[in-house]
Amino acid sequence: MELVERLRILTAGARYDASCVSSGSQRKKAGGSLGICHSWTEDGRCVSLLKILQTNDCIYNCRYCVHRTDRDGPRTSLSAREITELTVNFYRRNYIEGLFLSSAVKGSPDQAMETMLASVKILREEYKFPGYIHLKGIPGAEESLLKKAGFHADRMSVNIELPSAESLKKLAPQKKPADIFNPMHFLERNRREEKGFLRAGQSTQLIIGASPESDREIISLASYLYDKFSLSRIFYSAYIPTGDPRYIPGVQNPPLLREHRLYQADWLFRFYHFSFDDIIPPAQNDLETELDPKAGWALRHFEFFPVEINRASYRELLKIPGVGLVSARRIIKARKEGTLDFSDLGKLGVVMKRARFFIICRGRRIPGLPGDPANIRPFLTMPASRPRQRRLFAPPGGE
Ligand code: SF4
């Protein structure tokens, strides 16, 4: 098979791994279209990466996976030399700033890991490649291979994929939980002990919607993983129905809104000082889809509001819907120059459309707004269900 065709298959195949900030976006350049994704370096820069599989040829039969062994479709691979030359060429032309290299399990976990390791070794040692490298850790691969890989890669991810041991057993019966968690432990230990090992940490991916776990179970697992492995990120990937329908029936479309809500919840407990129970109350199993989790908390805890913008602490500001990390910091700074009023807040990045129900400035509320959760709620829900002014003469059948 021609190199261009292999490249097309292996960049398309890599889209199913969500372990980067944007997956599968395409950047057209003179040289054709590339699979480009983005990631954050350890110093907070966003970098664009060539996202590619070393191979889509797999000995495993994970039932949710497009590369599973019993699925028809072309199988192909790139050699370590081909991966490195592609990466270096695209890097020199300024198409990319690094490489995101993943792989199916061709031959055995060790063989797959060795081939990827050979690619990054050539890149770093022969080409002195200075770009960012994200490398997949293959579950079940030898620790000695993971260790060598961790000195060449900036970040590695061992994907958990299924959020419970029962689902792993049902949908990926050839993988054992230990094949996944032992490498994660190993990478974390080395990251703490060895200088220059995975400077941008490790991440993992959870597939959403292929198995029956609730949002409560998923968030609880995520919170445990952040604590236990100091993960840089968890990526939530809405299940794309390319798996075996005999095992995963009834999924017509990827649950993208659910994925989005889980990302929002994840940010709340990582950066906004919300607890697990704040995000998803004990009586609830799933996040509301029509309301974001921060707005949901604010409406359930209306006793906390209104917050006086001129006196609130940084943490109190972060609880207000429409106030983010940056706008909260800007408010604190701007208050040192003088007392703030509502007209100042938009310029500081506050989304007033949301925040206006929950704040006061100089002891005053914005007049004319509803003041109770039930009446505020419709203004914060998804656009489709947001109340609209009815026209006097609605078209037949409604709007
Ligand atoms: S091991 Fe990875 S590539 Fe192979 S079938 Fe399972 S999820 Fe897919």
Side-chain angles (χ1 to χ4, degrees):
M1 199 185 291
E2 291 290 322
L3 177 64
V4 171
E5 180 59 5
R6 286 186 285 143
L7 186 56
R8 190 191 63 72
I9 292 170
L10 294 170
T11 50
R15 278 184 307 150
Y16 296 93
D17 192 323
S19 308
C20 51
V21 179
S22 65
S23 297
S25 60
Q26 300 286 310
R27 182 192 286 180
K28 296 222 183 244
K29 289 268 182 176
S33 69
L34 308 176
I36 302 283
C37 74
H38 297 89
S39 193
W40 298 96
T41 61
E42 82 281 6
D43 58 1
R45 274 180 315 119
C46 183
V47 285
S48 52
L49 311 176
L50 168 65
K51 185 174 184 181
I52 195 162
L53 295 176
Q54 187 98 45
T55 178
N56 66 350
D57 193 351
C58 199
I59 55 167
Y60 287 163
N61 200 31
C62 305
R63 283 150 185 163
Y64 54 85
C65 181
V66 70
H67 309 304
R68 67 187 184 278
T69 194
D70 73 358
R71 190 171 195 262
D72 289 338
R75 305 288 171 168
T76 190
S77 304
L78 288 164
S79 67
R81 181 64 58 186
E82 285 170 325
I83 289 278
T84 51
E85 283 175 3
L86 281 167
T87 306
V88 168
N89 280 337
F90 290 151
Y91 183 81
R92 285 181 181 154
R93 288 176 200 184
N94 222 13
Y95 295 172
I96 56 165
E97 293 156 287
L99 171 68
F100 180 113
L101 183 60
S102 184
S103 181
V105 184
K106 185 175 181 181
S108 69
D110 284 350
Q111 191 183 321
M113 197 70 230
E114 261 166 18
T115 314
M116 285 199 296
L117 176 59
S119 302
V120 294
K121 206 162 176 260
I122 300 174
L123 268 176
R124 291 292 198 219
E125 293 181 358
E126 194 174 311
Y127 288 94
K128 309 290 178 212
F129 179 70
Y132 182 90
I133 296 179
H134 182 136
L135 195 64
K136 184 52 50 70
I138 301 289
E142 274 282 325
E143 289 185 347
S144 59
L145 298 171
L146 297 173
K147 181 132 187 178
K148 286 180 194 153
F151 283 111
H152 292 303
D154 294 273
R155 177 178 288 181
M156 287 180 73
S157 49
V158 183
N159 283 351
I160 295 176
E161 311 283 28
L162 296 163
S164 72
E166 298 77 55
S167 292
L168 191 69
K169 196 167 167 193
K170 185 174 164 218
L171 297 180
Q174 292 143 307
K175 287 186 192 161
K176 305 282 165 277
D179 294 341
I180 298 163
F181 288 108
N182 290 349
M184 289 175 77
H185 269 295
F186 180 78
L187 294 179
E188 168 52 12
R189 203 173 58 241
N190 278 277
R191 204 187 61 79
R192 273 189 280 110
E193 292 170 359
E194 303 277 3
K195 204 163 178 281
F197 190 90
L198 296 184
R199 281 168 305 168
Q202 64 166 320
S203 59
T204 192
Q205 167 175 272
L206 295 171
I207 297 176
I208 306 306
S211 52
E213 293 78 16
S214 65
D215 291 345
R216 165 167 281 279
E217 289 168 289
I218 291 167
I219 295 169
S220 158
L221 172 64
S223 142
Y224 166 82
L225 293 171
Y226 280 123
D227 269 4
K228 184 92 184 161
F229 301 108
S230 314
L231 295 183
S232 308
R233 285 291 296 268
I234 294 175
F235 292 90
Y236 305 90
S237 175
Y239 169 64
I240 300 169
T242 50
D244 187 335
R246 290 171 303 168
Y247 294 91
I248 313 170
V251 183
Q252 304 300 330
N253 294 303
L256 293 173
L257 182 54
R258 187 177 175 206
E259 175 195 283
H260 177 59
R261 293 294 181 228
L262 284 164
Y263 273 117
Q264 289 177 316
D266 182 289
W267 275 67
L268 290 185
F269 67 75
R270 287 168 64 212
F271 301 116
Y272 284 75
H273 307 284
F274 281 81
S275 72
F276 177 66
D277 281 342
D278 283 340
I279 296 167
I280 187 149
Q284 213 172 300
N285 271 334
D286 291 305
L287 295 164
E288 286 191 74
T289 45
E290 64 169 22
L291 194 66
D292 76 75
K294 190 175 179 189
W297 180 86
L299 295 178
R300 286 193 303 277
H301 293 275
F302 210 63
E303 72 283 356
F304 184 80
F305 299 101
V307 166
E308 168 57 73
I309 286 289
N310 288 294
R311 284 202 307 270
S313 67
Y314 177 67
R315 282 196 179 202
E316 286 167 338
L317 290 171
L318 288 181
K319 303 277 182 193
I320 304 169
V323 176
L325 300 167
V326 174
S327 49
R329 274 200 299 273
R330 285 182 184 154
I331 289 171
I332 301 278
K333 192 166 170 222
R335 284 191 320 207
K336 293 182 184 149
E337 310 292 318
T339 311
L340 299 177
D341 210 337
F342 295 113
S343 56
D344 301 312
L345 299 182
K347 287 174 251 163
L348 298 175
V350 175
V351 183
M352 285 299 286
K353 203 165 61 173
R354 305 173 71 69
R356 60 192 167 148
F357 305 103
F358 303 98
I359 57 175
I360 50 178
C361 278
R362 305 173 179 200
R364 288 181 302 110
R365 298 187 79 118
I366 297 177
L369 293 176
D372 63 287
N375 284 314
I376 294 170
R377 185 185 163 92
F379 289 90
L380 301 176
T381 51
M382 296 288 290
S385 52
R386 204 172 278 162
R388 283 193 294 165
Q389 179 96 38
R390 286 189 68 78
R391 281 196 240 147
L392 281 178
F393 299 99
E399 298 184 296

